[in-house]
Structure formats: structure tokens, C-alpha cells
Amino acid sequence: MTATTEPPTATGDTGLDFVWLEITGKCQLECIHCYAESGPTRMHGAMERMDWLGVIDQCADLGVGMVQFIGGEPTLHPDLVVLVEYALERGMEVEVFSNLVHVSTRMWDAFTRPGVRLACSWYSTDPAQHMLITRRNTHARTSANIAKALAHGVPLRVGIVGMLEDQNVAAATAELAVLGVADVGVDHLRQVGRGIRDRDATVAELCGGCGDGVVAVGPDGAVWPCVFTRWMPVGNVQDALLEGILDGRAHAVATQKLRAEFDRRTESHARGCGPDCEPSSKCNPMFPSCNPQACNPHDKTCSPNYKKPGETCNPWRCGPTK
């Protein structure tokens, strides 16, 4: 399928279901694959508490079902608890994607509230290899807080990103199972930000659901079709309302470009491409036991841990083609 010359006409109906709220660029870690290039020297950005509360209000008014607080490391933001509680008050589910290095008592109180869930990354059974990826010796802390989250009954999913030749992903998955984690997913390195190795960040690095019912807002208010599409800003919430941005020309142009690429992948997949061709990793980061050819390369519910009513997509596992 080829793209048309002109972008689709804006409709005024955003169809927005899920929003990433990237509230800070600051992080204790400097993971070698971080798409946001977060780290200890980064800042929270120009967005202040009232700005984020306003964005949360806009999300709720647009019918968003879930927001994910992400960074950087969201637990380093002084207003995280306030923002989580406000999103719950506005009737949305909340996921906090944290490295789980340090969680205060106040944050545990917020995380154990109904409607809140956690997500984190995990890399290796070997603390030294874990540190090679995160650049900090945090294996034990993260492991302890994974166990604590489960003990508190907090819904938790853990993602493993495979990027090292000797990284034993199967062993890491088994280790998480011993800890009691039932929801584990595996993804490959995506070459965006510090993840870039041998090519620039392009649409080829994306999962297949960017901009389709999802959107991301960054620490300085920039709006992207998803957190990975940082080279495709479509507006800024400090300059315009989120609804206006999503109904604007820049967003229409960006989403048309994405749809054209994802439709091309779908057509290639339908012609019987092998498991090594794009998009063999799909929207659903691959679960080790999954058959790649059973995955849907054009699943529109890529948003972490969120699905629309009646849809069966699990964002960490392959599912049947709809």
C-alpha cells in the first residue's frame, strides 16, 4: 500500500486510548540501550506540576483509559505521587514504569492503590552483566523491590531486553518466575537514543502501533506518536491543547507516514515472509515460547499493559491475528 500525497483530513475525533507521560529525563542509571538517553545529569524538564495536571485533565476528557508515568525514572520526580493520585481521581488506570531501584514508603502507598500497576526492566541473572547494561550496581535492589511489589499484591509486569551476545534471556526469565513474576516479556534492542548501534533511528525500529490510539508527552511538553518516535514531534502541550495537536496537520502527516510503513509490513507478512524479516518482533515484544508467524504484525493495541474492551492483545505476548 502506498501513501497518498496529502495527509488525511483532521476529524476532531482523536480516538485516544493510552498516553505515555514522560515526566522526567532524570535517572539513577545510564542504561546502554536507553531510547530517551536518560541519566543522572538530565533534568525534569520545563513541565511543572500544574502543567502535568492539566495534561491529565485533557487525557481524561478525551476518554483515555490508561496513562503510564515513565522517564527517565519517574520515582525521582517530586510530584509523581500527586500525579498518580490525580489520574486515578479522573477515572483512569495508571501504570508506573520504574527501574525499582528506590521506592519510598509514600510511593508504595500510592502503588498499592486499586487501579495502579507497575512495570520494570530486567536483564540478567548475573549482577555484573546487569550492571554492564545499567551502568550501576542495582541488581539486588531491583530484585528486592520486585519481590516487595508482589508481596504487596501490586500488578507487575517485567520486560527483558535482549542485547548482548552472552545474555541468557531464558535464565533471566526463569529467575523472574522464581521470584513470582507471572507477566514477563522479551524484546530486542531498538536502535533509538543510546540504543543506536549501526543505523539511525527510523520507522523500521517501531512496533507497528505508534500513533494509533496512543501518544506520548515529554518532559518539555513535546508530543510524539509514541516514546520511540522522538524525531517526529507533532506539537507541544505548552503551546496547544492535546486535542488540537492530535487533530492537527503535523500529527496527520506523521501518522500517515507510520501507517504506510506498517501497512507495507503487513502486506510483506501476508506474502509469507520468514521469521527473520520485518516485522518479526511485532508490536507484541516476543515471548520466548511464541511462534513468530502467529503474531499479528499490525496489532493496534501496542500500548503497554492496556487493551480496549473486547480486544485480546497482550502487549508482552504474541496473540492470534485478528
Side-chain angles (χ1 to χ4, degrees):
M1 181 180 295
T2 57
T4 57
T5 304
E6 292 297 322
T9 303
T11 64
D13 179 11
T14 65
L16 194 61
D17 304 302
F18 174 92
V19 179
W20 288 275
L21 301 178
E22 189 177 305
I23 59 177
T24 182
K26 194 174 186 65
C27 185
Q28 310 101 316
L29 313 182
E30 290 182 283
C31 296
I32 61 175
H33 62 294
C34 181
Y35 61 82
E37 300 183 81
S38 303
T41 62
R42 296 288 300 277
M43 307 300 290
H44 296 316
M47 293 281 286
E48 298 182 353
R49 177 189 292 191
M50 294 308 298
D51 297 317
W52 284 118
L53 292 176
V55 171
I56 291 171
D57 274 331
Q58 293 176 56
C59 290
D61 292 342
L62 290 171
V64 171
M66 174 181 276
V67 293
Q68 182 194 78
F69 293 100
I70 194 170
E73 173 48 40
T75 62
L76 296 180
H77 196 287
D79 295 324
L80 175 62
V81 170
V82 172
L83 299 178
V84 167
E85 292 177 343
Y86 191 64
L88 292 174
E89 290 173 10
R90 289 305 318 265
M92 291 178 288
E93 294 181 71
V94 169
E95 181 173 81
V96 178
F97 201 114
S98 169
N99 56 36
L100 292 183
V101 170
H102 176 73
V103 183
S104 68
T105 299
R106 183 171 177 239
M107 286 180 184
W108 280 122
D109 290 341
F111 295 166
T112 54
R113 291 189 57 179
V116 180
R117 57 197 311 125
L118 290 173
C120 75
S121 296
W122 188 252
Y123 303 106
S124 177
T125 58
D126 180 1
Q129 190 173 70
H130 200 275
M131 184 168 64
L132 180 65
I133 294 172
T134 66
R135 303 289 185 171
R136 299 292 185 278
N137 186 15
T138 58
H139 185 276
R141 290 187 182 184
T142 299
S143 176
N145 280 322
I146 286 174
K148 190 170 183 177
L150 295 172
H152 280 303
V154 181
L156 172 71
R157 66 184 178 93
V158 181
I160 302 171
V161 181
M163 68 191 83
L164 303 178
E165 288 186 4
D166 59 344
Q167 187 177 346
N168 193 333
V169 171
T173 303
E175 182 178 39
L176 290 169
V178 170
L179 287 172
V181 181
D183 196 351
V184 180
V186 179
D187 196 9
H188 67 290
L189 173 70
R190 296 187 185 273
Q191 296 202 42
V192 179
R194 277 202 297 268
I196 290 177
R197 299 292 185 269
D198 55 10
R199 58 181 182 266
D200 292 333
T202 68
V203 178
E205 302 301 320
L206 306 179
C207 70
C210 302
D212 193 354
V214 302
V215 74
V217 181
D220 291 314
V223 178
W224 309 298
C226 80
V227 289
F228 283 106
T229 56
R230 312 177 82 80
W231 69 92
M232 298 179 69
V234 297
N236 192 298
V237 293
Q238 293 193 309
D239 301 324
L241 292 175
L242 186 56
E243 181 177 19
I245 293 171
L246 298 180
D247 196 40
R249 179 179 176 82
H251 186 253
V253 170
T255 53
Q256 179 180 275
K257 179 180 179 180
L258 293 170
R259 292 272 69 76
E261 167 64 17
F262 302 151
D263 286 345
R264 180 193 64 78
R265 295 185 193 175
T266 302
E267 290 182 353
S268 296
H269 187 79
R271 289 195 295 268
C273 67
D276 294 330
C277 76
E278 283 294 338
S280 60
S281 58
K282 317 298 186 304
C283 169
N284 303 325
M286 297 272 292
F287 194 66
S289 62
C290 183
N291 174 7
Q293 294 304 308
C295 290
N296 183 356
H298 196 60
D299 199 314
K300 297 182 179 181
T301 52
C302 176
S303 317
N305 238 337
Y306 180 73
K307 61 183 179 182
K308 301 176 187 177
E311 291 185 334
T312 58
C313 174
N314 182 334
W316 284 116
R317 290 181 175 83
C318 297
T321 300
K322 294 196 288 287

